[in-house]
Amino acid sequence: METKKEFDQVEYLKNQLKYLGFGEGEKLYKDLEKGINSKNQQFEIKTTSDKVLSGNKADFTLKFNKTDSGGVFLNSYHARLMNEKNEEISHNFPVNRENTFTAKEAINLLEGRSVKIEFHNPKSDQQETAFVQFNFDEPKTEKGNYLFQNFYKNYGVETDKIVEKSNLIFDKPEYKENTIKSLEKGSVVKVKFNMNDQVIEGKAILDPQNRNLKLYDSDMNRINTNKPLEGINHEDKHEKANVREQSIKR
């Protein structure tokens, strides 16, 4: 009979960091092992990411906690973005087993884009899908976090229809599916589209609030003014809510 493999705490945490997009570099792993082997009940390690728009910089402080039984857990991380204007934008992201924003999704939120999540709707007390983005117009919470602006399912954000309306061109069918997934994660996506009877290579960002794509040239200059999809009820158009980060689930 096969014996159950002994749980490897270090390997588990390394895989978690890799899965969440914090990398798998030698320094990161050495800092992790140093923290695990230290006598401190809590420890932090720092890392950076280059998956940002040109002129921006991002760094993360990963916060770990040890249990009395010897377990080590990544509880949360602090994400900080320095933009090209040297302005600091930061947020604390909780980490749990089921639902956690990845490092790239955190950057996308800090850069002002939206991410599709599974969301607990306080009105219906049900799990729903929604697009969320930071509300930079509201003051931060006591924990130093932004409130989220949410666009629920009945707001009418259907990415596949938005992509069709934008006349994007895909060399292979699977490229369309990959593009939709990337747009819903809040990424800036390389695309091809028709404009003035020409095929243009550029970039696209999903804009759930206006239910359209923002199209740019390769230098990120805006080149379209798409109108929102029609047919949305007036009441649904304003179905938005600001809730604290604890209500967010992935």
Side-chain angles (χ1 to χ4, degrees), residues 9 34 49 97 99 102 112 122 124 159 222 229 237 248:
Q9 179 77 73
K34 182 179 178 181
S49 175
R97 184 173 296 179
N99 305 293
T102 65
S124 64
T159 314
R222 181 77 185 271
L229 291 176
K237 185 178 292 188
I248 296 293

Side-chain angles (χ1 to χ4, degrees), residues 138-156:
E138 293 290 331
K140 282 189 169 186
T141 67
E142 292 180 358
K143 293 185 177 181
N145 286 349
Y146 292 106
L147 294 174
F148 283 90
Q149 190 175 30
N150 313 308
F151 304 96
Y152 295 128
K153 185 177 181 179
N154 61 358
Y155 189 79

Side-chain angles (χ1 to χ4, degrees), residues 171-221:
D171 297 332
K172 296 182 180 180
E174 57 266 30
Y175 290 175
K176 180 178 181 180
E177 183 179 348
N178 293 337
T179 294
I180 289 174
K181 288 181 179 178
S182 294
L183 288 168
E184 290 181 339
K185 288 180 179 294
S187 296
V188 180
V189 184
K190 291 183 179 180
V191 294
K192 294 180 181 179
F193 48 87
N194 280 315
M195 177 166 284
N196 300 326
D197 298 323
Q198 289 185 322
V199 177
I200 304 296
E201 291 189 0
K203 297 176 183 178
I205 294 173
L206 182 63
D207 180 8
Q209 185 168 7
N210 293 302
R211 296 180 296 280
N212 66 25
L213 289 186
K214 294 179 180 178
L215 297 178
Y216 301 81
D217 64 18
S218 297
D219 297 320
M220 290 302 292
N221 297 307

Side-chain angles (χ1 to χ4, degrees), residues 63-117:
K63 302 181 180 182
F64 296 82
N65 187 64
K66 299 178 184 178
T67 65
D68 293 337
S69 59
V72 182
F73 296 93
L74 172 61
N75 285 339
S76 65
Y77 67 87
H78 178 78
R80 185 181 69 150
L81 180 83
M82 296 294 293
N83 64 23
E84 57 186 0
K85 298 178 181 178
N86 208 33
E87 298 170 329
E88 179 178 317
I89 307 167
S90 63
H91 189 89
N92 296 294
F93 291 88
V95 174
N96 55 60
R97 184 173 296 179
E98 293 83 13
N99 305 293
T100 302
F101 286 104
T102 65
K104 184 62 174 71
E105 289 171 337
I107 290 172
N108 291 344
L109 288 168
L110 291 172
E111 289 184 332
R113 298 183 294 277
S114 62
V115 175
K116 187 177 182 179
I117 63 166

